[in-house]
Amino acid sequence: MSDLLTCVGLERSFGDLKAVQGVSFSVAVGETYGLLGPNGAGKTTCISMIAGLLDPDAGEVTVAGQAMGPRASAAKNDVGLVPQELAIYPDLSARENLDFFARLYGLDTARRKRRVDEVLEVIGLTDRAGDRAGTYSGGMKRRLNIGIGMLHEPKLLILDEPTVGVDPQSRNAILESVETLATDGMGVLYTTHYMEEAERLCDRIGIIDQGTLVAEGTRRELVGMIGEQDVVRLKTVGDVQAAEAACAVVEGVSSTDVEEDTVVCLVDEAAPRLPALLAAVGATDADVSGVEVREPDIEDVFLHLTGKALRD
Amino acid sequence: MMGALRTVVQISRVELLRFLRERSNVFFVFVLPLALVVFIGLQFGGGMGTQLGAVAADDDAAASELVDRLDTAEGIEVVPIDDEDELRSLVSRGNLSGGVLIPDGYEDALRSGATFEIGFLGRPDATAQSLRTVVDAVVADQAAITGAASLAADATDQSVADLIDLAAQVREGMPGVTVSTEAVGGDELAQEFSALGQFDLGASSQLFLFVFLTSLASSAALIQTRQFGVATRMLSTPTRLPVILAGLAGGRFVVALFQALYIIVVTALGFGVDWGDPLATSVLVLLFCLVSTGAAMVLGSVFRNDSQASGAGVGLGLVLAVLGGSMIPLELFPAGMLVVARFTPHAWANTAMAEIVRRDGGIADVVMELTVLAGFAVVLLGVATFLLRRALTR
Ligand SMILES: Nc1ncnc2c1ncn2[C@@H]1O[C@H](COP(=O)(O)OP(=O)(O)OP(=O)(O)O)[C@@H](O)[C@H]1O
Ligand SMILES: [Mg+2]
């Protein structure tokens, strides 16, 4: 049995809102799995159930062969959670925060001391270990937030959008440390709404929208789902909404979306369709000021599957 | 099991640490209680600040003597005042703690044994009450000696002045006879408090006020623990919910206990405050700390915002302290207010403390108060556990 994590038919509602409806997937030992979805897709809700913070309304979570739930201490021991919102004491130092959680994870004294030092090194906070976390920069706090999750060397590390609100440099450092952990054999479940992160880190990606997993696979498999299609991006001047509406009805166009002043069209083949697209926009109040044709990526897959953009 | 206990201690330790790192808390915990103990001691305990105004005829030897005697009484400074009106206004404005009016003819009246009335002016507060007792006692003392001497002079033809000296000498050698005047509103009360050391009353009333207040203030730290997401994160570790709840409650309890010990130890060592029977006081303080913990946990579970909780905590802490006799002694409460007081833990704690400190009570004398406090603690902690469990697992 090589599955580290299996989720079967997870469901969870908040009042009338079905936040998660029937999500099933699994993560193999040592695999990095990405949950990619827009705001409110249900990623955090899934993760809360997987980490045993929330009881699912239906479905089951198994971690390393053990059933997970709010009272499943043994299963929790195999999971390290890095919550989306910072969960650190700002009035304690990095070392004190790490030491505190190491105790909650039940590490014995010797291992605790060793791990705190090691983690400080990994997250690059050794120099500032004695300063209160409240005085750290946003990126440093994020790194501490992540460090706490890896203290007890869990089999599965869950990171919920760990790079939100982080400068590019810290972001890169975070991605690198996740890559290192994965190379060392730790299973990683990574949620994000940044396609680039999912593509860079993850062996497999699950696309989640409105509480359901709409597609799953490697990057190659996912892009393959939209077959031989091309992406045509028309930069426009004028009424971009009207331009989109005009493009949507052109033959061979399977879906359209607007990104700022650009109309994004998914078409069966770019070359023969371009004149019709340009003519369609020309017939509206808008003018085309630039054209770009490229191979589709995961963001386009999302557009194709859900009819909307991954990011608002 | 040991592991769980150790984790409870760790969570509590961190909560205490965080509480003490907050600067404003340090002021409230360390400085303010002592400042108030001293303040109340000076005001109420009849310390050097207690000034008694006296209006007396200069040519009346007995009146002058009475003024001297009052002046030598411990903790009282007599200020000579010209007339009754001035005295009245100084006392009513609070410039003087009280005043005595000695009408003309005091000496004659003393010698002849005629009835004589000395006026006492005081505001309706406890300071005046205790001053009044002192005045009563001094007057009675003087009257007894002079009266006895006059009678003896009549019988023996010796001079009254010689006999007064003699009588005073005789009295020295006699076992202390306490002279008490007939109770006219509040005298029993003054008697009760006159048994206290200067700082005793301030210290015991401040103890409960501050333990409760400090504990409620620590509910802000609990809300932060929830707000910061740390409480939820704790739940993602193998540590079980009951252990986490116990740790968070333990944090509040340690803060309360710390405050109590600080006030008790510092006032005992620094101001010689008598805290009565160690066992009874310990049990009382521990139970009150538990009640405070429960209240803080309820507050910390109900509110979502730490500054709201601090505000509500200070408000609630002060109101309960006033209603429960930590600001004005319960003995001065009108009957209706006493009924209200019964709903505050402070009133039960203050009543028990009065029994222990003022009347040398032991644990057996305060069983009822301790039981009620235990009841408060159980109910509050139960409600808090329910609310916090819900808040954390929602
Ligand atoms: N405790 C809660 N009470 C009520 N509704 C909730 C709660 N938690 C989540 N929801 C709702 O469930 C839906 C899914 O939320 P969730 O946090 O899982 O999304 P997400 O994919 O993590 O989004 P984001 O990328 O913004 O973090 C949202 O509509 C959210 O408003
Ligand atoms: Mg989320």
Side-chain angles (χ1 to χ4, degrees):
Chain A
M1 175 84 182
S2 66
D3 274 347
L4 177 57
L5 166 71
T6 45
C7 305
V8 181
L10 287 183
E11 281 179 29
R12 174 73 201 211
S13 301
F14 297 105
D16 289 340
L17 180 91
K18 290 190 170 168
V20 173
Q21 23 193 337
V23 167
S24 305
F25 66 94
S26 56
V27 178
V29 173
E31 185 183 29
T32 301
Y33 188 98
L35 267 185
L36 184 68
N39 291 130
K43 301 182 294 294
T44 301
T45 308
C46 276
I47 282 194
S48 299
M49 293 187 280
I50 293 169
L53 294 178
L54 209 58
D55 252 333
D57 295 338
E60 272 172 29
V61 177
T62 315
V63 177
Q66 310 157 94
M68 177 56 97
R71 276 177 258 282
S73 290
K76 285 182 182 176
N77 219 4
D78 286 333
V79 174
L81 173 67
V82 177
Q84 177 172 2
E85 308 286 344
L86 289 177
I88 57 178
Y89 281 122
D91 36 13
L92 298 186
S93 69
R95 185 180 291 283
E96 286 168 333
N97 269 291
L98 290 169
D99 184 82
F100 176 65
F101 277 101
R103 291 171 192 268
L104 291 197
Y105 277 115
L107 269 57
D108 62 45
T109 312
R111 180 156 173 242
R112 194 175 74 232
K113 291 198 167 129
R114 177 174 61 80
R115 281 303 292 162
V116 168
D117 285 334
E118 284 172 3
V119 169
L120 281 170
E121 198 66 43
V122 171
I123 59 179
L125 286 178
T126 308
D127 292 344
R128 298 285 304 271
D131 299 347
R132 292 190 195 177
T135 67
Y136 295 171
S137 71
M140 293 163 78
K141 287 178 191 161
R142 285 261 153 217
R143 267 139 60 195
L144 175 56
N145 195 40
I146 294 172
I148 293 171
M150 59 172 83
L151 269 172
H152 61 301
E153 300 168 287
K155 292 180 182 154
L156 176 67
L157 181 63
I158 304 177
L159 299 125
D160 195 0
E161 306 202 34
T163 59
V164 167
V166 163
D167 61 283
Q169 204 186 336
S170 288
R171 183 174 177 178
N172 201 45
I174 290 171
L175 295 181
E176 270 173 20
S177 40
V178 174
E179 280 169 331
T180 312
L181 291 169
T183 319
D184 294 347
M186 195 180 279
V188 178
L189 175 58
Y190 192 100
T191 82
T192 180
H193 55 247
Y194 294 115
M195 173 206 64
E196 308 83 4
E197 291 186 2
E199 289 192 333
R200 171 173 162 183
L201 294 176
C202 302
D203 302 314
R204 282 190 307 139
I205 297 167
I207 296 182
I208 183 169
D209 184 45
Q210 295 184 351
T212 35
L213 208 58
V214 291
E216 189 193 41
T218 61
R219 185 200 125 86
R220 202 181 245 294
E221 288 165 353
L222 288 172
V223 174
M225 288 177 69
I226 45 179
E228 299 296 291
Q229 300 191 74
D230 289 328
V231 178
V232 176
R233 296 170 62 89
L234 301 172
K235 196 171 162 60
T236 59
V237 183
D239 189 349
V240 67
Q241 303 295 343
E244 185 202 8
C247 291
V249 295
V250 171
E251 200 189 337
V253 174
S254 62
S255 52
T256 58
D257 192 45
V258 173
E259 282 177 17
E260 291 174 6
D261 61 351
T262 304
V263 180
V264 184
C265 306
L266 211 53
V267 300
D268 51 3
E269 212 177 336
R273 302 298 180 197
L274 254 181
L277 283 169
L278 292 172
V281 176
T284 69
D285 287 344
D287 291 315
V288 175
S289 64
V291 179
E292 188 196 344
V293 177
R294 56 171 178 76
E295 302 267 286
D297 59 21
I298 291 186
E299 238 163 284
D300 304 313
V301 176
F302 190 83
L303 176 65
H304 173 72
L305 291 171
T306 66
K308 62 187 184 204
L310 191 50
R311 269 172 281 172
D312 326 297
Chain B
M1 192 57 219
M2 277 309 289
L5 202 61
R6 220 174 298 140
T7 311
V8 170
V9 171
Q10 279 312 317
I11 299 175
S12 305
R13 187 187 67 95
V14 162
E15 293 286 312
L16 174 67
L17 190 69
R18 294 183 48 235
F19 182 79
L20 294 179
R21 278 193 185 167
E22 177 78 46
R23 287 241 171 77
S24 59
N25 287 339
V26 172
F27 173 75
F28 277 108
V29 171
F30 293 97
V31 183
L32 199 57
L34 290 194
L36 281 180
V37 167
V38 172
F39 180 75
I40 292 178
L42 296 182
Q43 285 284 306
F44 194 100
M48 41 265 205
T50 309
Q51 290 189 322
L52 177 71
V55 178
D58 294 337
D59 52 5
D60 190 318
S64 307
E65 193 201 333
L66 176 58
V67 168
D68 289 345
R69 281 170 177 249
L70 286 170
D71 204 23
T72 50
E74 199 183 337
I76 295 180
E77 184 195 338
V78 175
V79 181
I81 305 294
D82 289 339
D83 60 52
E84 181 177 345
D85 287 345
E86 190 185 350
L87 182 69
R88 200 171 287 281
S89 89
L90 286 172
V91 170
S92 67
R93 272 187 279 130
N95 298 7
L96 293 171
S97 303
V100 281
L101 265 171
I102 312 169
D104 293 343
Y106 179 47
E107 182 165 15
D108 294 343
L110 269 187
R111 297 215 171 165
S112 66
T115 51
F116 193 81
E117 222 172 77
I118 289 182
F120 179 83
L121 298 177
R123 287 184 308 284
D125 64 15
T127 312
Q129 313 265 11
S130 53
L131 259 182
R132 164 85 195 260
T133 349
V134 177
V135 172
D136 281 346
V138 172
V139 169
D141 198 24
Q142 185 190 23
I145 290 175
T146 315
S150 301
L151 286 176
D154 287 349
T156 62
D157 277 349
Q158 292 205 41
S159 90
V160 175
D162 288 349
L163 284 169
I164 288 177
D165 284 345
L166 185 64
Q169 281 166 24
V170 170
R171 200 171 178 284
E172 288 283 273
M174 293 192 346
V177 181
T178 32
V179 183
S180 64
T181 8
E182 192 64 30
V184 187
D187 277 13
E188 278 169 23
L189 191 69
Q191 212 99 77
E192 161 127 20
F193 290 120
S194 65
L196 287 174
Q198 182 179 359
F199 295 104
D200 289 5
L201 186 77
S204 63
S205 58
Q206 295 312 294
L207 175 68
F208 298 119
L209 188 160
F210 273 94
V211 167
F212 202 77
L213 206 57
T214 301
S215 194
L216 289 196
S218 78
S219 69
L222 172 61
I223 290 177
Q224 286 169 355
T225 299
R226 287 170 49 207
Q227 269 179 344
F228 295 157
V230 183
T232 312
R233 186 169 207 159
M234 291 183 198
L235 289 172
S236 78
T237 71
T239 302
R240 288 163 191 279
L241 182 61
V243 173
I244 294 170
L245 293 179
L248 293 174
R252 261 70 272 151
F253 181 71
V254 176
V255 166
L257 196 60
F258 183 88
Q259 175 75 87
L261 285 180
Y262 174 75
I263 293 179
I264 291 174
V265 170
V266 173
T267 56
L269 297 182
F271 301 96
V273 169
D274 170 21
W275 287 100
D277 177 48
L279 177 68
T281 302
S282 301
V283 174
L284 172 61
V285 167
L286 283 175
L287 280 175
F288 193 79
C289 286
L290 281 176
V291 174
S292 307
T293 303
M297 295 288 283
V298 169
L299 213 60
S301 319
V302 170
F303 283 93
R304 282 166 178 249
N305 172 314
D306 55 339
S307 50
Q308 274 175 6
S310 304
V314 171
L316 191 67
L318 291 179
V319 167
L320 289 180
V322 170
L323 294 179
S326 279
M327 300 271 201
I328 303 159
L330 286 172
E331 288 79 359
L332 296 178
F333 275 34
M337 289 300 292
L338 275 177
V339 176
V340 176
R342 281 172 180 272
F343 291 96
T344 69
H346 297 64
W348 295 95
N350 281 322
T351 308
M353 199 49 125
E355 185 66 35
I356 294 170
V357 172
R358 290 181 216 151
R359 293 184 282 277
D360 290 327
I363 201 158
D365 301 312
V366 290
V367 169
M368 183 173 68
E369 286 82 2
L370 295 181
T371 311
V372 173
L373 285 174
F376 267 109
V378 168
V379 170
L380 286 171
L381 285 170
V383 170
T385 307
F386 172 78
L387 290 175
L388 198 55
R389 183 186 280 267
R390 208 182 54 174
L392 288 184
T393 56
R394 203 170 17 201

